[in-house]
Amino acid sequence: MSAHTDSISKTPLIYKVLVVLSIMSVMGGSLTGVMTYMNVGYANTFYSDWLSSFLAAFILMPAGFLLMGLITKLVAQWLPNTNAHTRNLVAGGVMACIMESMMAFSTTANTLGFSSSAEFMTGWLFSFLAALPLGLTLMVVMSLTVKPKIELYLKS
């Protein structure tokens, strides 16, 4: 029996952290890239603006993981008679909108600043709406395929 339990080992924490960081990087990088492009275009400062916007969004992402757990629980309470795929899609859609609005806010603040509230709101709205199709696509892929596998992996 001990030989069997010795052969089953837990996944090292560093691997779990690296998987989560890579997912955050792909999602955050692609969304802030679209948002930065909508705010400043492909200017000379695009890559530095994108990097600083990405880093700002990366700081927000741990809050997103906590929020994802809370929203998943709330959706399970609100929709107890629905299947897991439907609950994952609803939770993912809510999370996509919340996280994208936060990333659009930080990206617009980073690239345009707050000197003009009209310019800021226009920049925020354009960057949010431009990234929404990508965010929703990522949400469907994450909710239906990646999230269940990641949850199992993180529990291992």
Side-chain angles (χ1 to χ4, degrees):
M1 181 162 139
S2 67
H4 176 61
T5 56
D6 290 341
S7 67
I8 300 175
S9 62
K10 291 186 67 78
T11 304
L13 180 62
I14 188 67
Y15 293 165
K16 294 176 184 181
V17 169
L18 290 174
V19 166
V20 171
L21 288 176
S22 65
I23 291 169
M24 288 171 49
S25 296
V26 168
M27 293 183 75
S30 58
L31 292 171
T32 56
V34 169
M35 292 173 181
T36 301
Y37 180 78
M38 290 307 297
N39 284 330
V40 298
Y42 192 67
N44 291 338
T45 61
F46 174 79
Y47 289 109
S48 62
D49 289 339
W50 181 17
L51 179 61
S52 60
S53 295
F54 170 68
L55 293 175
F58 206 77
I59 292 168
L60 295 172
M61 288 185 195
F65 276 102
L66 296 174
L67 192 58
M68 183 65 172
L70 176 65
I71 288 174
T72 300
K73 287 181 183 180
L74 288 173
V75 168
Q77 287 177 350
W78 291 338
L79 304 170
N81 299 325
T82 58
N83 63 36
H85 284 305
T86 302
R87 287 193 309 269
N88 281 341
L89 281 173
V90 170
V94 170
M95 275 304 297
C97 290
I98 291 171
M99 288 304 294
E100 275 192 54
S101 66
M102 290 170 44
M103 282 194 271
F105 182 90
S106 68
T107 299
T108 304
N110 182 56
T111 56
L112 300 179
F114 297 105
S115 60
S116 165
S117 60
E119 183 182 11
F120 178 84
M121 287 305 296
T122 301
W124 175 87
L125 183 62
F126 284 172
S127 62
F128 175 77
L129 292 176
L132 191 59
L134 175 60
L136 291 174
T137 301
L138 289 172
M139 177 276 303
V140 169
V141 171
M142 285 293 297
S143 295
L144 296 181
T145 60
V146 179
K147 182 181 175 242
K149 292 176 183 173
I150 292 295
E151 287 173 341
L152 287 175
Y153 181 72
L154 294 177
K155 289 178 184 176
S156 68

